[in-house]
Amino acid sequence: MKLNGAQILLESLLQEGVEKVFGYPGGAVLDIYHALRDYPLQHFLFRHEQGVVHAADGFARASGKVGVALVTSGPGATNAVTGIATAFMDSIPLVVLTGQVPTQLIGNDAFQEVDIVGISRSCTKHNYLVKDVKELAKTIKEAFYLARSGRPGPVLVDLPKDVIQSKAEFYYPKQVSMRSYNPNYTANKRQIQKSVGMIKKSRRPLIFAGGGVIASNAHEELCALARKLQVPVTSSMMGLGAFPGNDPLHLGMLGMHGTYVANMAVNYTDLLIAVGVRFDDRVTGKLETFAPDAKIIHVDIDPTSIRKNVSVDVPIVSDCRQALAALNEGFEQTGSEEDFPGRFASWRDKLRAWNEAHPLTYDSKGKSIKPQMVIETLYEITQGEAIISTEVGQNQMWAAQHFKYNKPRTWLTSGGLGTMGYGFPAALGAQVAFPDSLVIDIAGDGSIQMNIQELTTAVSHQLPVKIIILNNSCLGMVRQWQELFYEKNYSCTCLERIPDFVKLAEAFGAEGYRITEQQEIEPVLRQALASKKTAVVEVVVDQGENVYPMVPSGAGLNEMLLV
């Protein structure tokens, strides 16, 4: 039986196990939307294409599945680019379906035509322009395979209108074979043996866990290795949740706003076991002083990420889960009765002393609300049983520092691109993935306004996401940099016209709350979190509060500003 391209597309999505689609219609994709009524796919209508892709991203991060976004041609596709770039930087599996003008009009500057394949080439894992309906099913199969395999990432499929309207026999391939793409999943045995030997000789080892641990579902293998050997663990921002934040072995986040103990640990370790990280500049600080006394083992499935920024002694190109399992097995096979916990005891004692001397702290005196108080209260109320998304800026850093992420896929944030406006639509995507879970977006008053129109989406689809706005009436992180490095010249960072967020929430049909005094924090948060509706909580916080520790740009990790 012949199907048209729209039907072939939707049949292909069903073959891939897709149940939820995030989208926004337009002329070039009307045939797809017309066919949707005949397919058991739940479509979530957003109010802006950036929100569409961020929601698919949040769905993918929370669930581990491939997120699917559907947008129209021209401005629909270009509006989606920020979301695609966000997912690309953080290795998130998406399939983004864009409408396109008919093939005979491509290149003629037709209405709502853009070369989205060309525009997105640098921020997708791969992209396709489908020119023949007979190639559509095969292309969708490849797109999902590429998105979820190897180092995950977004794949864009551009769909000309005539291709969507043409008919062909539907056949969905069972397998994909791509000669030029064969990711390696299994760790080299010699490299594993060499790593085991290096760990045995080490006296001050440190595990550095990144987003790759979460992407490969390797958290159990990571915990087994760290606890067996009693080796301390630090995380990149993307790696939070890969190792329980409440475990005594966890040192917290590493990098520009990492904990004192984590940054000092990297400075003094003699062996850094880096798993699923890419050594971003916000993590390393000044490269010449990064881990100066350490040999480095680097595990990553992407060979181009190894030695790109930091020289390593043992490169292991492998899936993180496979490599960690092999390391665990390596210690079991040696039959060694060595007392690793005892060997590393003095190292752990040193780290404990550093942490006690310089814990994450803030001045809680006075009547003003400190944003850290809000995050800590959230953790006390939820006990970590929540999915937390963030916007970007100070709110993001305080959420990373003061909320303990004890499970993977409960922390959703834009790490690589640093996209303001990410957190709220991502939270909606996570709520779609887990309708019965508590999902909270921690936002700033500046960033929440980037995609606040999605309050309509939340209310329309009855998604009970909670938005906690830390309102300091400024672009806080930019203001902090201006205070510390730009002579306190607060150019264009003080937001003089802040909307009434409570009235705004109510106008959209959501609940609105406001907290202005410390004693209101816990009761109002409890009331909002218990609600079964979308809720916005505006918390008026101290404008002058900064995020510490802070490693200045160009400085080493041991050159932290602590106050």
Side-chain angles (χ1 to χ4, degrees):
M1 184 176 65
K2 286 189 175 183
L3 303 177
N4 66 31
Q7 294 168 321
I8 289 172
L9 171 65
L10 298 176
E11 288 283 357
S12 299
L13 295 182
L14 292 179
Q15 289 287 331
E16 289 294 333
V18 175
E19 298 174 345
K20 322 283 186 183
V21 176
F22 304 88
Y24 197 94
V29 290
L30 280 181
D31 292 274
I32 299 171
Y33 276 87
H34 181 66
L36 257 178
R37 64 183 179 182
D38 299 323
Y39 289 84
L41 291 165
Q42 190 174 9
H43 180 274
F44 292 84
L45 174 63
F46 277 66
R47 297 306 187 265
H48 191 283
E49 290 88 355
Q50 183 180 347
V52 167
V53 183
H54 287 330
D57 176 308
F59 174 88
R61 295 193 202 217
S63 68
K65 300 176 182 178
V66 177
V68 178
L70 172 60
V71 300
T72 193
S73 64
T78 56
N79 281 347
V81 169
T82 297
I84 296 169
T86 300
F88 180 73
M89 290 289 282
D90 290 345
S91 305
I92 306 304
L94 300 182
V95 171
V96 180
L97 306 166
T98 57
Q100 184 55 276
V101 300
T103 52
Q104 67 270 21
L105 294 181
I106 291 175
N108 289 347
D109 296 328
F111 177 66
Q112 290 195 333
E113 179 198 357
V114 296
D115 177 14
I116 192 61
V117 169
I119 289 171
S120 67
R121 186 167 286 121
S122 66
C123 62
T124 52
K125 187 174 178 181
H126 193 63
N127 57 24
Y128 295 88
L129 171 61
V130 184
K131 296 180 180 180
D132 186 339
V133 69
K134 296 177 183 177
E135 296 294 316
L136 180 54
K138 176 176 176 288
T139 301
I140 297 300
K141 180 69 175 181
E142 288 185 4
F144 275 86
Y145 172 67
L146 287 170
R148 64 165 66 101
S149 63
R151 178 180 176 179
V155 178
L156 183 140
V157 182
D158 202 24
L159 302 164
K161 188 162 186 174
D162 60 317
V163 172
I164 290 302
Q165 293 175 330
S166 300
K167 289 190 175 184
E169 295 286 344
F170 175 68
Y171 169 74
Y172 201 68
K174 294 182 179 179
Q175 293 181 330
V176 173
S177 177
M178 304 177 72
R179 189 170 59 181
S180 61
Y181 177 76
N182 292 288
N184 181 66
Y185 286 87
T186 306
N188 181 283
K189 291 183 179 179
R190 290 185 180 179
Q191 299 296 71
I192 291 295
Q193 291 169 356
K194 190 174 181 180
S195 299
V196 170
M198 290 172 68
I199 295 171
K200 286 184 175 183
K201 292 178 182 178
S202 171
R203 289 297 182 270
R204 302 185 306 279
L206 178 66
I207 295 174
F208 174 28
V213 177
I214 295 172
S216 62
N217 298 311
H219 53 283
E220 291 182 1
E221 288 76 8
L222 174 67
C223 290
L225 182 67
R227 289 168 176 164
K228 180 189 303 178
L229 305 181
Q230 286 294 290
V231 173
V233 179
T234 184
S235 304
S236 68
M237 187 170 69
M238 289 298 299
L240 291 173
F243 190 80
N246 61 359
D247 192 293
L249 287 171
H250 193 247
L251 307 181
M253 184 173 68
L254 180 69
M256 178 174 282
H257 293 293
T259 63
Y260 180 89
V261 63
N263 287 347
M264 292 301 288
V266 167
N267 202 59
Y268 282 88
T269 182
D270 63 0
L271 179 64
L272 186 64
I273 307 160
V275 188
V277 301
R278 56 187 180 87
F279 291 108
D280 176 81
D281 60 289
R282 291 298 171 104
V283 159
T284 63
K286 186 178 180 181
L287 276 172
E288 293 81 2
T289 62
F290 179 76
D293 300 324
K295 292 185 180 298
I296 299 177
I297 300 167
H298 189 185
V299 180
D300 203 283
I301 198 164
D302 179 11
T304 67
S305 292
I306 296 178
R307 293 196 174 116
K308 182 172 67 175
N309 296 325
V310 173
S311 295
V312 303
D313 298 275
V314 182
I316 301 177
V317 179
S318 168
D319 173 75
C320 293
R321 187 176 184 180
Q322 298 276 1
L324 287 168
L327 282 171
N328 279 310
E329 187 178 345
F331 280 99
E332 293 170 1
Q333 287 179 345
T334 59
S336 173
E337 297 180 0
E338 292 180 76
D339 179 17
F340 288 106
R343 173 182 292 183
F344 305 141
S346 61
W347 171 231
R348 293 194 303 274
D349 290 342
K350 189 177 186 69
L351 297 176
R352 192 176 301 112
W354 276 332
N355 192 42
E356 291 173 356
H358 299 287
L360 285 173
T361 188
Y362 57 94
D363 184 3
S364 58
K365 298 176 183 177
K367 295 183 178 180
S368 65
I369 296 175
K370 301 292 184 175
Q372 300 93 324
M373 293 177 180
V374 181
I375 307 301
E376 290 176 349
T377 305
L378 267 178
Y379 182 73
E380 290 170 6
I381 294 173
T382 64
Q383 288 299 296
E385 292 298 323
I387 297 172
I388 303 293
S389 72
T390 77
E391 306 297 332
V392 166
Q394 288 181 318
N395 64 85
Q396 178 187 35
M397 294 302 128
W398 284 316
Q401 291 177 335
H402 295 276
F403 197 98
K404 293 181 175 66
Y405 302 92
N406 301 322
K407 298 176 183 177
R409 303 192 182 281
T410 57
W411 163 251
L412 318 177
T413 197
S414 173
L417 197 63
T419 306
M420 292 177 70
Y422 167 82
F424 180 33
L428 297 179
Q431 192 76 81
V432 168
F434 295 100
D436 297 325
S437 293
L438 176 61
V439 182
I440 303 169
D441 173 36
I442 296 173
D445 52 290
S447 56
I448 192 60
Q449 295 183 68
M450 292 274 185
N451 276 313
I452 202 165
Q453 76 283 342
E454 301 306 343
L455 274 169
T456 297
T457 305
V459 173
S460 297
H461 290 287
Q462 298 181 335
L463 300 171
V465 166
K466 310 297 181 276
I467 305 100
I468 313 298
I469 302 174
L470 304 176
N471 183 1
N472 57 10
S473 298
C474 66
L475 302 177
M477 188 59 83
V478 185
R479 185 208 59 76
Q480 177 171 334
W481 278 66
Q482 289 172 332
E483 175 187 330
L484 297 175
F485 309 116
Y486 291 89
E487 302 173 348
K488 297 185 179 181
N489 176 20
Y490 301 122
S491 176
C492 302
T493 49
C494 296
L495 305 180
E496 297 175 358
R497 298 284 294 179
I498 297 292
D500 184 326
F501 288 111
V502 173
K503 289 183 178 178
L504 192 59
E506 292 171 348
F508 277 107
E511 294 180 353
Y513 303 84
R514 180 177 290 113
I515 299 172
T516 59
E517 297 181 3
Q518 291 184 16
Q519 62 266 29
E520 296 173 334
I521 297 174
E522 182 174 349
V524 174
L525 284 180
R526 285 190 181 277
Q527 183 181 358
L529 296 182
S531 173
K532 294 183 179 180
K533 296 182 178 180
T534 307
V536 175
V537 183
E538 177 190 5
V539 189
V540 180
V541 299
D542 188 340
Q543 186 179 82
E545 191 68 9
N546 289 337
V547 180
Y548 292 112
M550 180 179 185
V551 178
S553 180
L557 293 184
N558 61 334
E559 300 177 87
M560 290 168 276
L561 302 178
L562 300 179
V563 289

